[in-house]
Amino acid sequence: MSDTTQTGPMRAADGTPLKKSLARALRRQKLRALMLIAPLLIFILVTFIAPIADMLFRSVENQIVADTLPNTVRALKSWDPETGELPGEPVFAGLAVDLQTAAELKIHTKLGSRLNYESPGISSLFRQSGRKVDDIGKEFQKRFVALHPAWKSGETWAALMGSDEWLEQARGWSRDQGPEPRFRLRKSAANALPRTGEVYLAFARDVQGTGRKAVSAEKPWPVLFTALAQDLGQASPEDIAAIDGPAAPLVQQAAAAISSFEPYSYRDAFIQMDKAWGEIGTWEVIKLYSPRYTPAYFLNAVDLELTPHGIEPAPENERIYLKLFWRTLWMSLLITFCCLALGYPVAWLLANLPSSKSNLLMILVLLPFWTSLLVRTSAWKILLQQQGVINDVLVWLGLIDDANRLVMINNKFGTIVAMTHILLPFMILPLFSVMKTIPPTYLRAAKSLGATPWTAFWRVYFPQSVPGIGAGSILVFILAIGYYITPELVGGTQGVFISNRIAYHISTSLNWGLAAALGSILLAAVLVLYYTYDKIVGIDNVKLG
């Protein structure tokens, strides 16, 4: 008899180990499942996850200062505001190059707007200085042109800063061939003249971005002469000698003559432009907000502010955000309770009436969805105002005096009434869907066992409707906490939510960082409340029927 006992691992029909074959089949199955959900997953990532991630990033992002004033920020690192003295000449020299470049690129006003959030009035300083700062560059331009007229030519600068490969491509280029070849810096010139290289690279990209002229045909920016004077004053003879290319002799001549230039005070030039440059507070703000990431937006969102002396409370008249957060939370909870108190009886009636009557009432519940939100909110303005319908009826009935009409609009009461009306269907529908699944025989059985109608309802019916209460409450609360149209129209100054301030900073003040911080805190508060609800009630108990 032959021995048929198998030794080694079990194998599939094709001879591969069975374990490996099963793993391969399972992997293919998972890939097929992933491909099926991939469109939905991509949609969620693009429309939900990515915007939230961008909002979280904007709440701490502060790169505009370091990107717009790179030389100034580097020089400011060694300055201590506690000394009570202005920054040294190197800081003002860096600012001369940075601000001129930013003014040419028309981004200096954006920087002013960013710093204006922290120090009101500083935006006008950058705007006005941006108009005058070219005078510094023009002063140095005169000095270089006096050495040799070729300095005012764009071809001279292109020959100095452009690489040999780019120069060769640019010579054979014509507008008919499309965009000019992308500019590339000459390494020897960029190493010896770092500031000049950075500015000329920005100049070349700006010219090529417009597409109107070739780089060599464009008139050089005055800031190039400021940067060149600073670089030549700091470059070693070896670095100057290493510069190659057609314009190398011109640079060597300028480097030999730079020591004969009349001394120039950048500090005096800026203080002459605007006295604010001579104030330590201006430089404190620039240094304080020079890091690429800042907690300032989150501090402002909780009525604190970042100062040179540390974190301090905001001025008394500017502390509004904590009050708005608290108002938003408790009013959203109150609106949710009002919707529950009004919606529960309606949902019970819909679930227990005959279908013919129930369907008619359901149409009335759904009717608000067929009316514009703006129309419904405006209707409440007409009803609640002091000369509105409700006050007129109360005066006609003699319940109130004409001189003492009720103030029911532009306050918390108006917001609660209007939002309860708007969000009520979102409470009724989940309640109705759950109540419809509760057999009416349960109540009859409880009564037959001796329970009173109230005991039968409270001990038998109500516990089975709790999942609908949970679903409706979560839905209404989440909608209420993020509403801003209705509070804006009927809330006045007392009934607005934090979402109104978020919308204001996004669309009006354009302080997107603060809006992102406020939104992030609101999101965190909702998640905390959601987690607390899950621990107390249990999210698994929430059902829609």
Side-chain angles (χ1 to χ4, degrees), residues 237-373:
E238 292 78 11
D239 290 336
I240 298 299
I243 298 177
D244 57 359
L250 207 59
V251 178
Q252 294 168 2
Q253 177 197 15
I258 196 71
S259 59
S260 64
F261 280 7
E262 182 181 349
Y264 188 87
S265 174
Y266 294 100
R267 178 190 295 187
D268 293 344
F270 273 101
I271 294 176
Q272 188 176 358
M273 280 183 218
D274 198 303
K275 294 181 180 179
W277 291 116
E279 299 175 1
I280 293 180
T282 301
W283 293 101
E284 286 180 333
V285 171
I286 294 176
K287 181 171 184 177
L288 189 62
Y289 294 96
S290 60
R292 292 184 173 273
Y293 303 98
T294 177
Y297 292 124
F298 278 102
L299 293 174
N300 293 339
V302 292
D303 296 333
L304 299 173
E305 59 183 9
L306 187 63
T307 71
H309 309 292
I311 299 173
E312 297 180 357
E316 187 71 30
N317 60 342
E318 297 179 9
R319 300 177 194 173
I320 60 172
Y321 295 117
L322 287 179
K323 182 192 297 184
L324 285 175
F325 274 118
W326 170 244
R327 179 193 297 169
T328 301
L329 289 175
W330 83 260
M331 286 185 65
S332 297
L333 289 171
L334 180 58
I335 291 166
T336 303
F337 176 78
C338 291
C339 288
L340 177 60
L342 295 174
Y344 196 96
V346 175
W348 183 87
L349 190 63
L350 290 170
N352 291 277
L353 282 176
S355 297
S356 58
K357 296 179 180 179
S358 176
N359 292 337
L360 179 62
L361 292 179
M362 180 59 72
I363 292 175
L364 298 178
V365 172
L366 298 176
L367 189 62
F369 288 125
W370 305 338
T371 309
S372 167
L373 173 63

Side-chain angles (χ1 to χ4, degrees), residues 64-198:
I64 186 172
V65 180
D67 289 344
T68 308
L69 305 177
N71 298 298
T72 311
V73 169
R74 283 194 292 268
L76 270 176
K77 288 181 179 179
S78 60
W79 174 65
D80 184 7
E82 296 297 330
T83 61
E85 298 180 357
L86 286 174
E89 189 71 10
V91 175
F92 284 92
L95 180 64
V97 173
D98 293 337
L99 190 56
Q100 285 184 83
T101 305
E104 294 287 358
L105 297 173
K106 298 179 174 58
I107 60 175
H108 63 295
T109 54
K110 295 181 180 179
L111 173 61
S113 299
R114 165 65 188 98
L115 294 177
N116 198 70
Y117 300 145
E118 317 300 339
S119 178
I122 204 170
S123 63
S124 62
L125 171 64
F126 277 89
R127 186 170 56 252
Q128 294 172 9
S129 299
R131 302 192 192 105
K132 304 175 183 177
V133 72
D134 264 2
D135 293 342
I136 298 176
K138 290 176 182 177
E139 173 61 30
F140 284 100
Q141 183 178 14
K142 292 177 184 177
R143 299 181 182 186
F144 279 99
V145 172
L147 291 177
H148 200 293
W151 280 113
K152 63 182 179 182
S153 169
E155 294 180 355
T156 301
W157 284 95
L160 171 63
M161 304 307 301
S163 66
D164 290 331
E165 296 81 5
W166 177 79
L167 288 173
E168 184 65 27
Q169 294 173 353
R171 287 192 193 99
W173 173 77
S174 65
R175 194 177 299 278
D176 298 336
Q177 297 175 350
E180 184 180 17
R182 183 174 177 82
F183 176 80
R184 292 193 296 274
L185 274 173
R186 182 182 298 274
K187 291 184 178 179
S188 61
N191 292 334
L193 311 170
R195 290 190 176 182
T196 310
E198 291 176 1

Side-chain angles (χ1 to χ4, degrees), residues 183-234:
F183 176 80
R184 292 193 296 274
L185 274 173
R186 182 182 298 274
K187 291 184 178 179
S188 61
N191 292 334
L193 311 170
R195 290 190 176 182
T196 310
E198 291 176 1
V199 175
Y200 195 83
L201 184 60
F203 164 78
R205 288 177 176 174
D206 184 64
V207 172
Q208 291 187 332
T210 59
R212 293 191 298 267
K213 292 184 180 180
V215 173
S216 60
E218 186 69 32
K219 183 179 178 182
W221 289 346
V223 62
L224 286 166
F225 297 94
T226 307
L228 181 60
Q230 295 179 14
D231 284 336
L232 291 177
Q234 298 174 2

Side-chain angles (χ1 to χ4, degrees), residues 516-534:
L518 292 170
S520 299
I521 294 175
L522 186 62
L523 174 63
V526 171
L527 292 177
V528 169
L529 290 173
Y530 181 83
Y531 176 79
T532 304
Y533 181 90
D534 182 38

